[in-house]
Structures are given as structure tokens and as C-alpha cells.
Amino acid sequence: MKSFYITTAIDYANGSPHLGHAYEKVLTDVIARTNRLLGSQVKFVTGLDEHGQKVQQGAQSEGIEPLERCNRIAEEFQSMLLQLGISNDDYIRTTQERHKKVVSLLLQDLYDRGEIYQAEYQGFYSTRAEQFLQEKDKVDGKWPEIFGEVTEITEKNYFFKLGKYQGWLSKHLNETTGFIEPAHRQNQVLEFLKEPLNDLCISRPKERLSWGIPLPFDSEYVTYVWFDALVNYVSAAGFGDESFEKFWPADLHVIGKDILAPPHAVYWPIMLKACNLALPKQILAHGWWTVSGSKMSKSSGETVDPLGLAEKYGADAFRYFVMREMTVGNDAEFSAERFESRYRADLGNDLGNLVSRLLHMTAAYEQGIVPTVDLDEEPEKKIKEHWNSTKDFVLDCFSSFQFSQGLDKAFAFIRGINKYADERTPWKLAKSDEPEDRKALRTCLGTMIESLRLANTMLAPVMPSVHEKINDRLGLSPSVSWNDDLFWDHRLAEKKLGEKTILFPREV
Ligand code: MSP
């Protein structure tokens, strides 16, 4: 069985989860579920990035130990995963032994091979961004807001020889189309690499930052953020164990555009190369959710609570909204009105009404038994063709991360089923005793039920619990294989359907 290792960024343990964090988990979950349905053995990992100054300061201001604060935030993030139906197989925390061990092993190995050296460093440091800044980071001669307070400091630190791999990385990016998605981001990284690449400062003196993983070769220092955080991807894959071979290299890292270059597109490939480890096959950089035009973040103060929405409308409505509304790679503005309108129109009117109407008609006209289809006339031919083109298009979209377009097409098919019913008018046919009308009625219901089964199979990765509910009414367990379940074969003929149900209540 083909394996598929997929990861999200690990969230900073310095605040509560917001829509941005939730979106990334849903997006990754949809890709993970799609790959499972297509037959891969998926390993889906997400987690928490727990070291660093902000976490240390946050704990101090609460008068508690950093780990205590991290434990609480880890619970909050994990409970969000549960509530959003995220199917991760593992949750990595950078304070876990399994991770700290791997960070130490890799650092020691790089140090022994001369890839890490000590030097004096003088520079402008941003506490908020936890990074040294360069003159070019200034905007109009000033440090931009996002860096918070910036101070000039001199200290001895350890450096990783990033610069010497610059040529190698440019070559890799030039030769490997599709390494970074969307493609224009790969070009941006190549542009970035036209400037000389400095070596990477990978340490902080303990007196300034104690909340970190100690350097194995100098206990006066801890590991600086990226050499700790990025390594989670290999520690979660079980670096040093047998299972590592099975899942590494990762098939896909899903991250936001803010941490693409340099961390994921420059530091990470070079770190792996220097450690003689294979590079991930692909990196997907999604855009930002904005509120009133600015990136939603803890520091901007403008956040949307994903759990409030999921509680009110249901987790699947939330999942559908974010996947339908955001074109992967672009930014999207959050609006409560858009949410409400997608909920009412797409989910309530198109899908919800179809399900309740169909269950009701089958119960009323056919005692809840799925009729066999005897006719294959123009309307049936049309809807079958519509399904075939929908299936191919949606599969293509889902494999190229175009979920919004794919869902648009899937819902056009759902509306197509409603149109088919309007054409055949089963409610009129049911009033007639003519054998031809009976045949048309049975054909119509059978065709609609088969169409709904197929549409619902296609929605499984995006709305897993709605999928399960609809399949339950159809007398089916949730789909485990798209290779088996996406064919028009009237497998439900003569089967008994369940009771009518309301999937998306009007009053929420
Ligand atoms: N801890 C680092 C990542 C380390 S990965 C080895 C980090 N954490 S974060 O909590 O700030 O962000 C976690 C993820 O959420 C990132 O991929 C980030 O892009 C994403 N988002 C945070 N705010 C976002 C939006 N407003 N919109 C969409 N996603 C954004 O970065």
C-alpha cells in the first residue's frame, strides 16, 4: 500500500486557536482523507511549537511554569481538532522527549561534521518575531509594526552553514517543478535566492532564553526556534526507528505563506540536505484569512473563533465554508454574512432539501424501498453524463488542491439532481395510476437516489459527518474507497432507506 505522510505547521503555544489555525487543519484533513479514500496509507501529523521567548514570557506573566501553560494550550488546540473532525494520526509537541532527542542527535551530528560553528553576532533583534533583523527589513526607514520592539544586541552564538548550500538549493528549485505550490511561490523563493544567503543563527544564550532545547555541545545555549520547530516533521516520522523509512520523505507539508520563505523553502531543505536526509516531495503554501483586510492574528486582535461557528452551524458547515470560500494559495476575507449565505443556500436549500425531499418521497410513494430503474431516457442520460463529467473534474481538482472549484462543481451536480426532479415531476407522477407514469416515477426516484449516493461520496473528505449521516439514511456505512464507490451502478436498488432527516436546520 502506498504511504502518504502529510503535516501541518505546528502552532505556536502562545494563544488560543483562531480561524487561521483551524483552516490549515481542515485543509490538511481534507487532503489526508482524500488520499485515504484513494487507497494510500496516510500518516497525518499536526502539533504544537512550544519553545521560545513569547511562551516563556507568557508563562512568567501568569506566574506559572512554561510547560503548565503549554499543557493548557495543547489541550485547547487538541480539543479544536476533535470538534472540527480532524483525523490526525499523531500530535507532536516540541517538549516531548521523542522530539528533543532527535533535535539533539541532528545538531550533534552537524556540529561534529563542521556544519555548525560559533561566532560573534551583532544585530537588531525583534522579540516579537524572535529573529535578528536586517536593514532591508525596514519600511520607510523604520521597523514595521509586526516586529514589535527592536533592540541592538551583541552576543556569541552558533551558526549553521546555510550560505554554502545556496547554489544547490537554487538548482533543486529550478529542476523540480511543483516542489512548491502554488507555482508562483516557487518563483518567489528563487527570487529570494538571488540575494546572498547568510548563515543561520541557531542558538540563544540561556540567560536570555531558558525555555528551549539545550545545544548538545554547549549547555550554555538553547536551540533557536527554527532548528527546533522544523525538526518536528522528522521526529514525528520516527527518526531513528524502522517506521521512519516508511514515511520519510514527507509527501506534503501544508503551511501558511508567511512561513514559506525562508523557513520552509530555504532553511528546511538545506537542513535536510546537510543531515543527508531526503527532501519533502512538496510544500503547499496557503493564503491568509483576513478580517477587515488584515491578517487575522493574535497580535492584530482581530480574530474569528472557529469553534463558535462550528458550534452554531455544525463542524461540517464550517469545513465546507472554508474549503469553498478560499482558493488555496490566495487570501480570503472572512464575513459572517457569506457564512450564513453559504449555509442557507448551498447546504440548506441545495443539499439539505434534496435529502429530505427524496427520503420523504421514497417513503410516501414506495414504502421507503429504493425502486429499480427501468427507463433510460433523455433526462436519465443527461444526469448520468453530468455525473461522469463532475466526477472527473472534481477528482482533478482535489488532486491539484483546487477544492473551491471542485466543490462548486459538486454542488452544481447536486442542483442538477434537483433540476432532474423538476423535469420528471415525481410528485405529479405519483398521482397517476398509468403504468408508464409508475415506471417514470420509479425511475426518477431510483435515479435521484443513485445520484445522491454518488454526490455524497464525493463530499466525504470535506463533510465527513454529513457524509456519514446521509449514507446512514441510504443504508450504507461511510465510504472507505473512492476506487469502489464512485461508479453509477444502482447498488441500492430494492434496499430500504432510513427516516427523513433535517441536516441543516433553518433556525440555528
Ligand atoms: N510555530 C510556527 C510554525 C512552525 S512549523 C515548523 C507558526 N505558528 S503559528 O501559530 O503562528 O501559525 C501556524 C500556522 O497557522 C501557520 O502555517 C500560519 O501560516 C497559519 N496561520 C496563522 N494565521 C493565519 C491566518 N490568518 N490565515 C491563515 N493561516 C494563518 O508559524
Side-chain angles (χ1 to χ4, degrees):
M1 198 187 221
K2 185 185 170 299
S3 70
F4 186 83
Y5 178 30
I6 181 168
T7 65
T8 70
I10 49 170
D11 302 307
Y12 275 133
N14 72 335
S16 297
H18 59 60
L19 176 62
H21 302 121
Y23 167 69
E24 184 172 298
K25 308 304 172 289
V26 171
L27 169 63
T28 313
D29 187 58
V30 171
I31 302 172
R33 286 177 187 269
T34 303
N35 278 277
R36 285 193 198 105
L37 283 161
L38 289 171
S40 290
Q41 186 189 354
V42 172
K43 181 181 177 74
F44 165 16
V45 178
T46 181
L48 200 62
D49 184 0
E50 305 188 24
H51 294 121
Q53 207 128 1
K54 279 175 276 182
V55 180
Q56 183 176 315
Q57 283 165 352
Q60 252 160 16
S61 66
E62 279 190 63
I64 56 174
E65 288 301 315
L67 187 59
E68 194 181 337
R69 185 174 150 89
C70 291
N71 287 342
R72 190 185 71 216
I73 294 176
E75 248 176 56
E76 236 186 288
F77 272 90
Q78 281 178 289
S79 120
M80 172 188 79
L81 299 177
L82 266 181
Q83 290 181 60
L84 294 180
I86 306 297
S87 63
N88 55 305
D89 303 287
D90 196 354
Y91 192 80
I92 183 135
R93 298 182 50 183
T94 54
T95 47
Q96 289 166 338
E97 276 313 312
R98 61 168 170 163
H99 172 70
K100 295 199 273 189
K101 191 181 78 189
V102 177
V103 171
S104 297
L105 270 171
L106 296 182
L107 282 172
Q108 185 68 53
D109 177 48
L110 290 173
Y111 184 71
D112 293 345
R113 290 190 290 112
E115 298 281 343
I116 289 172
Y117 62 94
Q118 198 183 36
E120 188 115 291
Y121 192 89
Q122 182 176 31
F124 292 100
Y125 185 76
S126 149
T127 314
R128 182 181 290 169
E130 287 183 31
Q131 71 185 61
F132 283 99
L133 306 176
Q134 293 171 7
E135 279 298 318
K136 68 174 164 68
D137 294 319
K138 283 188 176 167
V139 177
D140 300 330
K142 280 196 269 175
W143 301 116
E145 266 296 302
I146 49 158
F147 294 125
E149 192 190 344
V150 176
T151 43
E152 192 171 13
I153 54 177
T154 308
E155 64 189 22
K156 269 200 169 160
N157 263 313
Y158 285 90
F159 291 79
F160 167 56
K161 292 184 177 166
L162 201 69
K164 77 175 205 198
Y165 292 95
Q166 177 160 11
W168 165 80
L169 182 59
S170 301
K171 186 163 177 283
H172 175 76
L173 288 171
N174 273 316
E175 287 170 357
T176 321
T177 318
F179 179 59
I180 298 169
E181 283 289 333
H184 73 270
R185 297 261 173 234
Q186 186 149 335
N187 296 333
Q188 275 177 3
V189 178
L190 278 165
E191 279 303 306
F192 176 91
L193 285 171
K194 286 189 176 151
E195 296 288 316
L197 197 57
N198 295 327
D199 287 347
L200 178 69
C201 180
I202 60 152
S203 66
R204 289 292 174 265
K206 247 189 186 152
E207 74 258 14
R208 197 150 65 73
L209 175 68
S210 58
W211 184 236
I213 303 175
L215 291 185
F217 43 83
D218 189 341
S219 58
E220 290 307 303
Y221 289 83
V222 298
T223 314
Y224 161 68
V225 59
W226 291 111
F227 233 98
D228 175 349
L230 288 164
V231 172
N232 94 84
Y233 301 131
V234 288
S235 28
F239 179 79
D241 302 343
E242 269 167 40
S243 68
F244 187 67
E245 300 298 317
K246 182 162 176 55
F247 289 107
W248 195 261
D251 292 84
L252 185 65
H253 292 317
V254 179
I255 54 161
K257 64 178 186 180
D258 50 322
I259 52 171
L260 177 68
H264 281 81
V266 178
Y267 304 160
W268 185 224
I270 293 181
M271 282 161 68
L272 288 165
K273 171 77 179 159
C275 293
N276 295 314
L277 289 170
L279 304 198
K281 291 182 198 149
Q282 201 169 41
I283 299 173
L284 174 64
H286 61 75
W288 287 343
W289 281 96
T290 58
V291 178
S292 322
S294 329
K295 181 187 179 220
M296 185 179 312
S297 70
K298 187 177 176 243
S299 42
S300 76
E302 289 249 43
T303 59
V304 171
D305 169 23
L307 296 181
L309 289 166
E311 242 161 59
K312 187 166 171 198
Y313 298 93
D316 280 17
F318 173 82
R319 295 170 61 105
Y320 172 72
F321 172 78
V322 291
M323 296 306 289
R324 175 67 184 86
E325 204 62 21
M326 187 176 245
T327 299
V328 175
N330 295 356
D331 291 352
E333 169 80 8
F334 178 81
S335 131
E337 294 75 46
R338 290 289 293 165
F339 195 112
E340 179 87 1
S341 131
R342 289 249 174 247
Y343 179 80
R344 302 231 175 272
D346 306 9
L347 298 179
N349 289 346
D350 296 343
L351 180 60
N353 281 351
L354 169 65
V355 173
S356 59
R357 194 154 76 137
L358 193 49
L359 289 171
H360 171 77
M361 289 194 295
T362 315
Y365 311 149
E366 295 290 327
Q367 293 77 46
I369 308 290
V370 182
T372 359
V373 167
D374 293 325
L375 300 177
D376 190 19
E377 295 175 350
E378 201 43 36
E380 285 72 39
K381 287 199 169 77
K382 236 170 41 191
I383 186 90
K384 232 186 287 177
E385 252 165 50
H386 191 174
W387 165 250
N388 285 331
S389 61
T390 301
K391 179 178 82 173
D392 293 344
F393 186 87
V394 176
L395 283 174
D396 267 2
C397 286
F398 275 38
S399 58
S400 55
F401 313 125
Q402 299 300 315
F403 297 102
S404 176
Q405 268 194 53
L407 286 171
D408 185 30
K409 189 85 172 172
F411 272 77
F413 177 68
I414 289 167
R415 286 191 296 277
I417 310 175
N418 286 323
K419 274 196 211 116
Y420 165 77
D422 293 343
E423 218 171 302
R424 277 285 186 198
T425 58
W427 45 91
K428 279 191 197 154
L429 296 169
K431 289 188 189 135
S432 155
D433 288 330
E434 292 297 319
E436 277 313 301
D437 288 342
R438 296 296 310 163
K439 224 188 216 183
L441 171 66
R442 291 167 55 79
T443 293
C444 174
L445 293 180
T447 302
M448 286 177 75
I449 290 163
E450 181 62 356
S451 305
L452 172 65
R453 177 185 73 77
L454 292 163
N456 186 44
T457 305
M458 202 110 243
L459 294 179
V462 178
M463 294 199 283
S465 74
V466 165
H467 166 79
E468 191 174 337
K469 269 191 211 157
I470 297 178
N471 258 18
D472 176 65
R473 298 297 144 142
L474 299 178
L476 296 167
S477 41
S479 175
V480 288
S481 168
W482 269 2
N483 302 326
D484 296 336
D485 295 341
L486 288 178
F487 300 100
W488 188 285
D489 56 14
H490 289 291
R491 65 182 65 178
L492 292 173
E494 304 306 327
K495 296 265 163 37
K496 175 104 176 104
L497 298 189
E499 298 282 292
K500 187 174 151 180
T501 181
I502 296 183
L503 291 171
F504 306 101
R506 269 182 192 285
E507 300 305 322
V508 286

